[in-house]
Amino acid sequence: MQHKRIHLGQSSKIPASPEEAVLDRVPNPHPDTNYVARFTFPEFTVMCPVTGQPDFAIVVIDYVPNLSLIESKSLKLYLNSFRNPRGGMPIDVFWQAGRLPRDVWAPDPGVRSYRGRE
């Protein structure tokens, strides 16, 4: 079944909200191989509806594609649609000094501290 692409090769505006966004897909060139596809968005921003201030995050999406891959332009448009409506993004606050208590394990998120554009 052919999926009609609405963004790839077209001029596209950022959707007004995540609900209006459409994720396009493209055929997986290696559907018989299990592999991880990764999208990394190091400067994801959303506006807080309460304070009007921006929130910042690093978004990493890992998935194992089946017959299709998420088309990157449509994913960028989707994520950028959160710029004005907050969309319920969680905020994880973490603070640590010294070593973790015995029998406590915290995974390494693999994300370095925010440094802005270098």
Side-chain angles (χ1 to χ4, degrees):
M1 181 166 146
Q2 185 69 6
H3 172 74
K4 181 182 177 202
R5 295 183 200 127
I6 64 168
H7 296 298
L8 189 62
Q10 309 282 336
S11 176
S12 302
K13 294 191 311 186
I14 296 173
S17 71
E19 293 77 21
E20 294 178 18
V22 175
L23 286 175
D24 284 347
R25 62 182 185 257
V26 295
N28 181 355
H30 306 286
D32 297 329
T33 304
N34 283 333
Y35 63 95
V36 173
R38 171 173 284 177
F39 290 101
T40 304
F41 299 88
E43 295 181 0
F44 180 73
T45 60
V46 294
M47 298 302 288
C48 176
V50 176
T51 66
Q53 298 178 3
D55 287 332
F56 300 88
I58 297 171
V59 175
V60 178
I61 300 171
D62 287 339
Y63 72 100
V64 177
N66 189 3
L67 298 177
S68 300
L69 292 160
I70 297 171
E71 194 279 314
S72 62
K73 179 180 179 183
S74 68
L75 182 58
K76 290 176 190 177
L77 290 166
Y78 170 73
L79 290 172
N80 281 320
S81 73
F82 284 92
R83 183 66 178 112
N84 292 322
R86 182 176 161 90
M89 296 299 296
I91 297 175
D92 295 327
V93 178
F94 179 80
W95 178 82
Q96 175 186 345
R99 295 177 183 241
L100 287 172
R102 195 173 85 215
D103 298 322
V104 174
W105 176 77
D108 179 0
V111 177
R112 65 184 184 151
S113 296
Y114 179 75
R115 295 182 182 188
R117 293 191 182 259
E118 295 180 355

